[in-house]
Amino acid sequence: MNAEHARPVGRGAKVRAAVHAATLAELAEKGYATLTVDGVAQRAGVHKTTVYRRWKDRESLVVDALAGHVAADIPIPDTGTFETDLRALARALVRMMTAASARALLAAVFSDAARLSEVAEVRRQIFDDRLRRAEPVVTRAVSRGELPAGTDAAEVIRSLAAPVYLRLLMTVEPVDEAVADQAVRVTLAAARAGAFSPTGLSAPGPLVVHG
Amino acid sequence: MNAEHARPVGRGAKVRAAVHAATLAELAEKGYATLTVDGVAQRAGVHKTTVYRRWKDRESLVVDALAGHVAADIPIPDTGTFETDLRALARALVRMMTAASARALLAAVFSDAARLSEVAEVRRQIFDDRLRRAEPVVTRAVSRGELPAGTDAAEVIRSLAAPVYLRLLMTVEPVDEAVADQAVRVTLAAARAGAFSPTGLSAPGPLVVHG
Protein backbone atom coordinates (compact mmCIF):
# COMPACT_ATOMS: atom_id res chain seq x y z
CA MET A 1 0.00 0.00 0.00
CA ASN A 2 2.94 2.36 -0.16
CA ALA A 3 3.01 4.96 -2.92
CA GLU A 4 5.89 3.69 -5.04
CA HIS A 5 4.12 0.37 -5.47
CA ALA A 6 0.68 1.82 -6.18
CA ARG A 7 -1.25 -0.12 -8.83
CA PRO A 8 -4.65 0.24 -10.51
CA VAL A 9 -7.42 -0.77 -8.07
CA GLY A 10 -8.62 -3.62 -10.30
CA ARG A 11 -5.35 -5.49 -10.11
CA GLY A 12 -4.90 -4.81 -6.37
CA ALA A 13 -8.35 -6.21 -5.61
CA LYS A 14 -7.68 -9.29 -7.73
CA VAL A 15 -4.37 -9.98 -6.00
CA ARG A 16 -6.01 -9.50 -2.64
CA ALA A 17 -8.82 -11.93 -3.46
CA ALA A 18 -6.40 -14.51 -4.82
CA VAL A 19 -4.15 -14.27 -1.76
CA HIS A 20 -7.15 -14.49 0.59
CA ALA A 21 -8.47 -17.58 -1.18
CA ALA A 22 -5.02 -19.20 -1.18
CA THR A 23 -4.61 -18.47 2.54
CA LEU A 24 -7.94 -20.10 3.41
CA ALA A 25 -7.18 -23.09 1.21
CA GLU A 26 -3.75 -23.61 2.81
CA LEU A 27 -5.24 -23.25 6.30
CA ALA A 28 -8.00 -25.73 5.58
CA GLU A 29 -5.69 -28.30 3.99
CA LYS A 30 -2.57 -28.07 6.11
CA GLY A 31 -3.51 -26.20 9.26
CA TYR A 32 -2.01 -23.04 10.65
CA ALA A 33 1.28 -24.31 12.03
CA THR A 34 2.78 -25.19 8.65
CA LEU A 35 1.31 -22.24 6.74
CA THR A 36 3.98 -20.08 5.12
CA VAL A 37 3.86 -16.85 3.12
CA ASP A 38 5.83 -18.74 0.43
CA GLY A 39 3.20 -21.46 0.20
CA VAL A 40 0.37 -18.93 0.01
CA ALA A 41 2.15 -16.87 -2.67
CA GLN A 42 2.84 -19.96 -4.77
CA ARG A 43 -0.74 -21.13 -4.54
CA ALA A 44 -2.07 -17.66 -5.40
CA GLY A 45 0.33 -17.39 -8.34
CA VAL A 46 1.97 -14.17 -7.12
CA HIS A 47 5.47 -13.28 -5.97
CA LYS A 48 6.31 -13.55 -2.28
CA THR A 49 7.29 -9.86 -2.24
CA THR A 50 3.79 -8.97 -3.47
CA VAL A 51 2.37 -10.65 -0.37
CA TYR A 52 4.87 -9.04 2.01
CA ARG A 53 4.14 -5.62 0.49
CA ARG A 54 0.50 -5.91 1.64
CA TRP A 55 0.73 -8.02 4.80
CA LYS A 56 3.59 -7.74 7.25
CA ASP A 57 3.56 -11.37 8.40
CA ARG A 58 1.55 -14.58 8.24
CA GLU A 59 -0.51 -13.68 11.31
CA SER A 60 -1.87 -10.51 9.70
CA LEU A 61 -2.39 -12.43 6.44
CA VAL A 62 -4.53 -15.06 8.19
CA VAL A 63 -6.55 -12.54 10.19
CA ASP A 64 -7.20 -10.41 7.11
CA ALA A 65 -8.20 -13.41 4.97
CA LEU A 66 -10.68 -14.62 7.58
CA ALA A 67 -12.09 -11.15 8.23
CA GLY A 68 -12.51 -10.57 4.48
CA HIS A 69 -14.59 -13.68 4.26
CA VAL A 70 -16.85 -12.65 7.11
CA ALA A 71 -18.09 -9.75 4.99
CA ALA A 72 -19.64 -12.22 2.52
CA ASP A 73 -23.15 -12.47 3.85
CA ILE A 74 -26.54 -14.02 3.22
CA PRO A 75 -29.53 -12.11 1.84
CA ILE A 76 -32.16 -11.25 4.45
CA PRO A 77 -35.62 -12.28 3.18
CA ASP A 78 -38.80 -10.19 3.43
CA THR A 79 -41.52 -12.44 2.00
CA GLY A 80 -44.48 -11.20 4.06
CA THR A 81 -44.82 -14.08 6.55
CA PHE A 82 -42.58 -15.29 9.36
CA GLU A 83 -42.64 -18.91 8.24
CA THR A 84 -41.56 -18.21 4.66
CA ASP A 85 -38.92 -15.69 5.83
CA LEU A 86 -37.55 -18.24 8.28
CA ARG A 87 -37.43 -20.95 5.63
CA ALA A 88 -35.66 -18.70 3.11
CA LEU A 89 -33.15 -17.67 5.78
CA ALA A 90 -32.42 -21.24 6.95
CA ARG A 91 -32.00 -22.52 3.40
CA ALA A 92 -29.70 -19.62 2.49
CA LEU A 93 -27.61 -20.32 5.59
CA VAL A 94 -27.31 -24.00 4.64
CA ARG A 95 -26.36 -23.15 1.03
CA MET A 96 -23.74 -20.69 2.19
CA MET A 97 -22.22 -22.85 4.93
CA THR A 98 -21.94 -25.92 2.69
CA ALA A 99 -20.15 -24.05 -0.11
CA ALA A 100 -16.49 -25.02 -0.48
CA SER A 101 -15.31 -21.56 0.60
CA ALA A 102 -17.27 -21.70 3.87
CA ARG A 103 -16.00 -25.18 4.62
CA ALA A 104 -12.47 -23.86 4.13
CA LEU A 105 -13.29 -20.91 6.37
CA LEU A 106 -14.62 -23.14 9.18
CA ALA A 107 -11.68 -25.51 8.90
CA ALA A 108 -9.35 -22.51 9.13
CA VAL A 109 -11.13 -20.99 12.09
CA PHE A 110 -10.92 -24.34 13.90
CA SER A 111 -7.21 -24.91 13.29
CA ASP A 112 -4.23 -24.06 15.50
CA ALA A 113 -4.82 -20.50 14.21
CA ALA A 114 -7.75 -20.29 16.65
CA ARG A 115 -5.11 -19.60 19.31
CA LEU A 116 -4.56 -16.13 17.80
CA SER A 117 -6.98 -13.88 19.65
CA GLU A 118 -7.82 -12.04 16.42
CA VAL A 119 -8.95 -15.31 14.87
CA ALA A 120 -11.13 -16.12 17.86
CA GLU A 121 -12.64 -12.67 17.38
CA VAL A 122 -13.27 -13.32 13.68
CA ARG A 123 -15.06 -16.53 14.57
CA ARG A 124 -17.33 -14.63 16.92
CA GLN A 125 -17.99 -12.01 14.24
CA ILE A 126 -18.84 -14.57 11.56
CA PHE A 127 -21.79 -15.47 13.64
CA ASP A 128 -22.70 -12.18 15.33
CA ASP A 129 -22.79 -10.03 12.20
CA ARG A 130 -25.07 -12.49 10.51
CA LEU A 131 -27.24 -12.63 13.61
CA ARG A 132 -27.77 -8.89 13.83
CA ARG A 133 -28.56 -8.55 10.14
CA ALA A 134 -31.26 -11.23 10.26
CA GLU A 135 -33.12 -9.81 13.27
CA PRO A 136 -35.64 -7.77 11.19
CA VAL A 137 -37.19 -11.09 10.10
CA VAL A 138 -38.33 -11.50 13.71
CA THR A 139 -39.16 -7.89 14.55
CA ARG A 140 -41.34 -7.62 11.42
CA ALA A 141 -43.19 -10.81 12.45
CA VAL A 142 -43.83 -9.32 15.89
CA SER A 143 -45.19 -6.10 14.39
CA ARG A 144 -47.45 -8.10 12.04
CA GLY A 145 -48.84 -9.88 15.14
CA GLU A 146 -47.46 -13.27 14.11
CA LEU A 147 -45.33 -13.63 17.24
CA PRO A 148 -45.75 -12.58 20.89
CA ALA A 149 -44.53 -9.10 21.82
CA GLY A 150 -41.12 -9.21 23.47
CA THR A 151 -39.88 -12.12 21.33
CA ASP A 152 -36.08 -12.08 21.53
CA ALA A 153 -34.98 -11.73 17.89
CA ALA A 154 -31.35 -12.70 18.51
CA GLU A 155 -32.42 -15.88 20.34
CA VAL A 156 -34.79 -16.86 17.52
CA ILE A 157 -32.02 -16.56 14.92
CA ARG A 158 -29.62 -18.51 17.15
CA SER A 159 -32.21 -21.27 17.49
CA LEU A 160 -32.57 -21.43 13.70
CA ALA A 161 -28.82 -21.59 13.08
CA ALA A 162 -27.75 -23.79 16.01
CA PRO A 163 -28.67 -27.21 14.52
CA VAL A 164 -26.90 -26.29 11.28
CA TYR A 165 -23.68 -25.41 13.10
CA LEU A 166 -24.00 -28.44 15.38
CA ARG A 167 -23.95 -30.71 12.33
CA LEU A 168 -21.15 -28.80 10.61
CA LEU A 169 -18.90 -28.68 13.65
CA MET A 170 -19.66 -31.59 15.97
CA THR A 171 -21.56 -34.44 14.41
CA VAL A 172 -20.21 -34.02 10.87
CA GLU A 173 -23.49 -35.15 9.36
CA PRO A 174 -24.74 -34.03 5.95
CA VAL A 175 -26.28 -30.56 6.04
CA ASP A 176 -29.02 -30.08 3.47
CA GLU A 177 -32.41 -28.50 2.86
CA ALA A 178 -34.10 -31.06 5.13
CA VAL A 179 -31.91 -29.88 8.03
CA ALA A 180 -32.89 -26.28 7.26
CA ASP A 181 -36.59 -27.13 7.13
CA GLN A 182 -36.45 -29.09 10.40
CA ALA A 183 -34.76 -26.11 12.09
CA VAL A 184 -37.62 -23.94 10.79
CA ARG A 185 -40.29 -26.27 12.23
CA VAL A 186 -38.68 -26.24 15.67
CA THR A 187 -38.00 -22.50 15.79
CA LEU A 188 -41.43 -21.64 14.40
CA ALA A 189 -43.29 -23.82 16.91
CA ALA A 190 -41.21 -22.50 19.82
CA ALA A 191 -41.57 -18.85 18.74
CA ARG A 192 -45.35 -19.17 18.32
CA ALA A 193 -45.63 -20.80 21.75
CA GLY A 194 -43.78 -17.84 23.28
CA ALA A 195 -40.60 -19.72 24.21
CA PHE A 196 -38.50 -16.72 23.10
CA SER A 197 -40.45 -14.09 25.00
CA PRO A 198 -40.06 -13.38 28.72
CA THR A 199 -43.74 -13.87 29.52
CA GLY A 200 -44.33 -16.96 27.40
CA LEU A 201 -44.30 -20.52 28.70
CA SER A 202 -43.66 -19.80 32.35
CA ALA A 203 -46.17 -22.55 32.96
CA PRO A 204 -46.20 -25.63 30.72
CA GLY A 205 -48.01 -24.77 27.48
CA PRO A 206 -50.94 -26.76 26.09
CA LEU A 207 -50.19 -29.92 24.19
CA VAL A 208 -51.18 -29.11 20.63
CA VAL A 209 -50.60 -32.41 18.88
CA HIS A 210 -51.05 -35.59 20.81
CA GLY A 211 -50.33 -39.21 19.75
CA MET B 1 2.22 -53.05 27.70
CA ASN B 2 4.90 -55.69 27.07
CA ALA B 3 5.51 -58.27 29.79
CA GLU B 4 8.95 -57.21 31.00
CA HIS B 5 7.60 -53.75 31.85
CA ALA B 6 4.41 -54.99 33.51
CA ARG B 7 3.38 -52.90 36.53
CA PRO B 8 0.56 -53.07 39.06
CA VAL B 9 -2.73 -51.91 37.48
CA GLY B 10 -3.03 -48.98 39.88
CA ARG B 11 0.16 -47.34 38.74
CA GLY B 12 -0.51 -48.04 35.05
CA ALA B 13 -3.92 -46.39 35.27
CA LYS B 14 -2.46 -43.38 37.07
CA VAL B 15 0.26 -42.90 34.46
CA ARG B 16 -2.30 -43.26 31.71
CA ALA B 17 -4.59 -40.64 33.26
CA ALA B 18 -1.69 -38.24 33.86
CA VAL B 19 -0.43 -38.61 30.28
CA HIS B 20 -3.95 -38.17 28.87
CA ALA B 21 -4.49 -35.01 30.90
CA ALA B 22 -1.08 -33.63 29.91
CA THR B 23 -1.79 -34.37 26.23
CA LEU B 24 -5.12 -32.51 26.32
CA ALA B 25 -3.54 -29.58 28.17
CA GLU B 26 -0.68 -29.32 25.66
CA LEU B 27 -3.12 -29.54 22.74
CA ALA B 28 -5.37 -26.87 24.18
CA GLU B 29 -2.53 -24.49 25.01
CA LYS B 30 -0.16 -24.93 22.09
CA GLY B 31 -2.10 -26.70 19.37
CA TYR B 32 -1.29 -29.95 17.63
CA ALA B 33 1.56 -28.92 15.37
CA THR B 34 4.02 -28.17 18.16
CA LEU B 35 2.93 -31.00 20.47
CA THR B 36 5.80 -33.38 21.29
CA VAL B 37 6.03 -36.60 23.30
CA ASP B 38 8.81 -34.88 25.28
CA GLY B 39 6.54 -31.97 26.22
CA VAL B 40 3.73 -34.29 27.24
CA ALA B 41 6.05 -36.50 29.34
CA GLN B 42 7.51 -33.47 31.08
CA ARG B 43 4.09 -32.04 31.86
CA ALA B 44 2.83 -35.42 33.14
CA GLY B 45 5.95 -35.86 35.27
CA VAL B 46 6.95 -39.17 33.68
CA HIS B 47 9.89 -40.32 31.58
CA LYS B 48 9.67 -40.09 27.81
CA THR B 49 10.33 -43.83 27.57
CA THR B 50 7.28 -44.48 29.75
CA VAL B 51 5.17 -42.69 27.15
CA TYR B 52 6.76 -44.47 24.18
CA ARG B 53 6.24 -47.83 25.88
CA ARG B 54 2.48 -47.25 25.81
CA TRP B 55 1.94 -45.15 22.67
CA LYS B 56 3.94 -45.62 19.52
CA ASP B 57 3.85 -41.99 18.37
CA ARG B 58 2.21 -38.65 19.08
CA GLU B 59 -0.71 -39.39 16.72
CA SER B 60 -1.77 -42.47 18.70
CA LEU B 61 -1.21 -40.53 21.93
CA VAL B 62 -3.57 -37.75 20.83
CA VAL B 63 -6.24 -40.09 19.51
CA ASP B 64 -6.14 -42.20 22.68
CA ALA B 65 -6.28 -39.16 24.99
CA LEU B 66 -9.30 -37.75 23.16
CA ALA B 67 -11.09 -41.09 22.95
CA GLY B 68 -10.49 -41.69 26.66
CA HIS B 69 -12.18 -38.44 27.44
CA VAL B 70 -15.22 -39.24 25.34
CA ALA B 71 -16.03 -42.06 27.75
CA ALA B 72 -16.67 -39.50 30.52
CA ASP B 73 -20.38 -39.02 30.25
CA ILE B 74 -23.34 -37.23 31.81
CA PRO B 75 -25.97 -38.92 33.97
CA ILE B 76 -29.28 -39.56 32.20
CA PRO B 77 -32.16 -38.30 34.39
CA ASP B 78 -35.43 -40.13 35.04
CA THR B 79 -37.48 -37.71 37.16
CA GLY B 80 -40.96 -38.68 36.00
CA THR B 81 -41.77 -35.77 33.69
CA PHE B 82 -40.33 -34.72 30.36
CA GLU B 83 -39.80 -31.11 31.40
CA THR B 84 -37.81 -31.92 34.55
CA ASP B 85 -35.80 -34.62 32.74
CA LEU B 86 -34.99 -32.16 29.96
CA ARG B 87 -33.94 -29.49 32.47
CA ALA B 88 -31.68 -31.89 34.40
CA LEU B 89 -30.11 -33.06 31.15
CA ALA B 90 -29.48 -29.55 29.80
CA ARG B 91 -27.99 -28.34 33.08
CA ALA B 92 -25.75 -31.42 33.34
CA LEU B 93 -24.56 -30.84 29.77
CA VAL B 94 -23.73 -27.21 30.56
CA ARG B 95 -21.87 -28.17 33.76
CA MET B 96 -19.87 -30.80 31.93
CA MET B 97 -19.02 -28.72 28.86
CA THR B 98 -17.90 -25.71 30.89
CA ALA B 99 -15.53 -27.73 33.09
CA ALA B 100 -11.85 -27.04 32.40
CA SER B 101 -11.28 -30.56 31.07
CA ALA B 102 -14.07 -30.25 28.50
CA ARG B 103 -12.81 -26.86 27.35
CA ALA B 104 -9.39 -28.44 26.86
CA LEU B 105 -11.01 -31.30 24.96
CA LEU B 106 -12.91 -28.96 22.64
CA ALA B 107 -9.86 -26.80 22.04
CA ALA B 108 -7.90 -29.95 21.20
CA VAL B 109 -10.54 -31.32 18.88
CA PHE B 110 -10.62 -27.99 17.04
CA SER B 111 -6.86 -27.68 16.55
CA ASP B 112 -4.70 -28.72 13.61
CA ALA B 113 -5.15 -32.23 15.05
CA ALA B 114 -8.66 -32.21 13.54
CA ARG B 115 -6.94 -33.07 10.26
CA LEU B 116 -6.25 -36.57 11.61
CA SER B 117 -9.24 -38.64 10.53
CA GLU B 118 -9.26 -40.43 13.91
CA VAL B 119 -9.67 -37.10 15.68
CA ALA B 120 -12.55 -36.12 13.40
CA GLU B 121 -14.10 -39.47 14.31
CA VAL B 122 -13.61 -38.80 18.05
CA ARG B 123 -15.34 -35.44 17.65
CA ARG B 124 -18.31 -37.15 16.06
CA GLN B 125 -18.38 -39.75 18.84
CA ILE B 126 -18.26 -37.15 21.62
CA PHE B 127 -21.61 -36.03 20.44
CA ASP B 128 -23.19 -39.22 19.10
CA ASP B 129 -22.57 -41.40 22.14
CA ARG B 130 -24.07 -38.80 24.42
CA LEU B 131 -27.01 -38.45 22.04
CA ARG B 132 -27.87 -42.11 22.00
CA ARG B 133 -27.61 -42.47 25.77
CA ALA B 134 -30.06 -39.58 26.37
CA GLU B 135 -32.76 -40.82 24.02
CA PRO B 136 -34.75 -42.69 26.74
CA VAL B 137 -35.69 -39.27 28.19
CA VAL B 138 -37.75 -38.74 25.04
CA THR B 139 -39.04 -42.26 24.49
CA ARG B 140 -40.28 -42.40 28.10
CA ALA B 141 -42.11 -39.08 27.60
CA VAL B 142 -43.78 -40.47 24.49
CA SER B 143 -44.92 -43.61 26.33
CA ARG B 144 -46.28 -41.47 29.19
CA GLY B 145 -48.33 -39.57 26.58
CA GLU B 146 -46.47 -36.30 27.16
CA LEU B 147 -45.27 -36.07 23.56
CA PRO B 148 -46.78 -37.05 20.19
CA ALA B 149 -46.12 -40.60 18.99
CA GLY B 150 -43.31 -40.71 16.45
CA THR B 151 -41.32 -37.93 18.15
CA ASP B 152 -37.73 -38.24 16.90
CA ALA B 153 -35.69 -38.71 20.09
CA ALA B 154 -32.32 -38.00 18.47
CA GLU B 155 -33.62 -34.75 16.99
CA VAL B 156 -35.01 -33.62 20.35
CA ILE B 157 -31.66 -34.17 22.08
CA ARG B 158 -29.85 -32.37 19.24
CA SER B 159 -32.21 -29.43 19.61
CA LEU B 160 -31.48 -29.26 23.34
CA ALA B 161 -27.71 -29.40 22.90
CA ALA B 162 -27.34 -27.26 19.77
CA PRO B 163 -27.56 -23.79 21.42
CA VAL B 164 -25.01 -24.88 24.04
CA TYR B 165 -22.50 -25.97 21.40
CA LEU B 166 -23.24 -22.90 19.27
CA ARG B 167 -22.16 -20.68 22.16
CA LEU B 168 -19.14 -22.80 23.04
CA LEU B 169 -17.84 -23.06 19.50
CA MET B 170 -19.01 -20.10 17.45
CA THR B 171 -20.17 -17.12 19.44
CA VAL B 172 -17.91 -17.68 22.47
CA GLU B 173 -20.57 -16.31 24.83
CA PRO B 174 -20.90 -17.37 28.47
CA VAL B 175 -22.65 -20.72 28.85
CA ASP B 176 -24.59 -21.03 32.09
CA GLU B 177 -27.79 -22.36 33.63
CA ALA B 178 -29.85 -19.65 31.90
CA VAL B 179 -28.65 -20.96 28.52
CA ALA B 180 -29.64 -24.49 29.57
CA ASP B 181 -33.09 -23.36 30.71
CA GLN B 182 -33.72 -21.39 27.53
CA ALA B 183 -32.80 -24.47 25.46
CA VAL B 184 -35.34 -26.42 27.53
CA ARG B 185 -38.13 -23.89 26.87
CA VAL B 186 -37.54 -24.01 23.11
CA THR B 187 -37.19 -27.78 22.84
CA LEU B 188 -40.15 -28.40 25.14
CA ALA B 189 -42.48 -26.06 23.22
CA ALA B 190 -41.39 -27.49 19.86
CA ALA B 191 -41.71 -31.11 21.03
CA ARG B 192 -45.18 -30.54 22.51
CA ALA B 193 -46.28 -28.85 19.26
CA GLY B 194 -45.18 -31.92 17.31
CA ALA B 195 -42.24 -30.27 15.51
CA PHE B 196 -40.15 -33.43 16.02
CA SER B 197 -42.74 -35.89 14.74
CA PRO B 198 -43.45 -36.56 11.08
CA THR B 199 -47.17 -35.79 11.33
CA GLY B 200 -46.94 -32.70 13.54
CA LEU B 201 -47.00 -29.12 12.30
CA SER B 202 -47.56 -29.76 8.62
CA ALA B 203 -49.94 -26.81 8.82
CA PRO B 204 -49.09 -23.75 10.94
CA GLY B 205 -49.89 -24.51 14.58
CA PRO B 206 -52.10 -22.31 16.76
CA LEU B 207 -50.59 -19.23 18.33
CA VAL B 208 -50.57 -20.00 22.04
CA VAL B 209 -49.29 -16.75 23.50
CA HIS B 210 -50.06 -13.53 21.74
CA GLY B 211 -48.79 -10.04 22.51
Side-chain angles (χ1 to χ4, degrees):
Chain A
M1 310 285 167
N2 76 54
E4 58 202 311
H5 292 294
R7 289 162 187 283
V9 172
R11 171 151 160 73
K14 254 191 212 167
V15 166
R16 198 181 158 82
V19 171
H20 277 179
T23 304
L24 293 180
E26 289 279 301
L27 271 174
E29 263 176 39
K30 300 174 187 168
Y32 177 65
T34 58
L35 181 134
T36 62
V37 170
D38 260 13
V40 169
Q42 205 163 11
R43 187 167 201 138
V46 302
H47 284 287
K48 196 165 99 162
T49 50
T50 305
V51 178
Y52 277 119
R53 203 148 58 220
R54 289 175 166 83
W55 297 275
K56 68 177 166 38
D57 52 28
R58 67 183 197 127
E59 282 74 16
S60 56
L61 180 58
V62 166
V63 169
D64 195 47
L66 292 172
H69 224 79
V70 171
D73 230 318
I74 53 176
I76 307 302
D78 186 8
T79 60
T81 76
F82 182 55
E83 181 167 4
T84 49
D85 274 2
L86 220 49
R87 185 163 297 119
L89 193 60
R91 289 182 178 185
L93 179 69
V94 163
R95 270 195 304 276
M96 187 189 58
M97 295 307 298
T98 51
S101 61
R103 291 206 170 265
L105 178 68
L106 280 182
V109 164
F110 292 102
S111 70
D112 279 4
R115 276 149 201 83
L116 297 174
S117 64
E118 298 94 331
V119 170
E121 177 58 21
V122 163
R123 176 173 57 180
R124 206 189 51 73
Q125 282 173 4
I126 292 176
F127 193 79
D128 270 17
D129 291 358
R130 226 161 258 162
L131 197 75
R132 274 194 295 273
R133 291 190 53 243
E135 286 179 13
V137 162
V138 181
T139 51
R140 282 193 301 254
V142 172
S143 53
R144 279 191 303 259
E146 286 190 79
L147 296 179
T151 296
D152 184 333
E155 272 306 305
V156 172
I157 305 298
R158 271 192 189 84
S159 168
L160 190 70
V164 174
Y165 283 97
L166 182 76
R167 280 173 173 81
L168 287 171
L169 298 174
M170 285 301 294
T171 64
V172 202
E173 294 160 291
V175 174
D176 55 19
E177 214 163 72
V179 170
D181 292 352
Q182 176 59 23
V184 170
R185 294 175 79 204
V186 170
T187 301
L188 189 63
R192 283 174 173 160
F196 299 106
S197 69
T199 50
L201 264 200
S202 55
L207 183 53
V208 176
V209 179
H210 205 197
Chain B
M1 308 285 173
N2 73 55
E4 59 204 310
H5 294 293
R7 290 162 185 284
V9 173
R11 171 152 160 72
K14 253 191 211 166
V15 166
R16 198 181 157 82
V19 170
H20 277 180
T23 304
L24 292 181
E26 289 278 300
L27 270 175
E29 263 177 38
K30 301 176 186 167
Y32 177 65
T34 58
L35 181 134
T36 62
V37 169
D38 261 14
V40 168
Q42 203 163 14
R43 186 168 201 138
V46 301
H47 284 287
K48 196 165 97 160
T49 50
T50 305
V51 177
Y52 276 120
R53 205 151 54 221
R54 289 175 167 82
W55 297 275
K56 68 177 167 43
D57 51 29
R58 65 184 198 126
E59 282 74 16
S60 56
L61 180 58
V62 165
V63 169
D64 196 46
L66 292 172
H69 224 79
V70 172
D73 229 317
I74 52 177
I76 306 302
D78 187 7
T79 60
T81 76
F82 182 54
E83 181 166 4
T84 49
D85 274 2
L86 219 49
R87 185 164 297 118
L89 193 60
R91 289 182 178 184
L93 179 69
V94 163
R95 272 196 304 277
M96 186 189 57
M97 294 308 297
T98 52
S101 61
R103 290 203 171 268
L105 177 69
L106 279 183
V109 163
F110 291 101
S111 70
D112 279 4
R115 275 149 203 83
L116 297 175
S117 63
E118 297 94 333
V119 170
E121 177 58 20
V122 163
R123 176 172 58 179
R124 206 188 51 72
Q125 283 173 4
I126 293 176
F127 193 80
D128 269 17
D129 291 358
R130 224 161 259 160
L131 196 75
R132 274 195 296 271
R133 289 191 52 243
E135 286 179 13
V137 161
V138 181
T139 50
R140 281 193 301 254
V142 171
S143 53
R144 280 192 303 259
E146 286 191 79
L147 296 179
T151 296
D152 184 333
E155 271 307 304
V156 172
I157 305 298
R158 271 190 189 87
S159 169
L160 190 71
V164 175
Y165 283 97
L166 182 76
R167 281 173 173 81
L168 288 171
L169 297 174
M170 285 301 294
T171 64
V172 202
E173 295 160 290
V175 174
D176 55 20
E177 215 164 71
V179 170
D181 292 352
Q182 176 58 24
V184 171
R185 293 176 77 203
V186 170
T187 302
L188 188 63
R192 283 174 173 161
F196 298 105
S197 70
T199 50
L201 262 201
S202 55
L207 182 51
V208 175
V209 180
H210 204 198

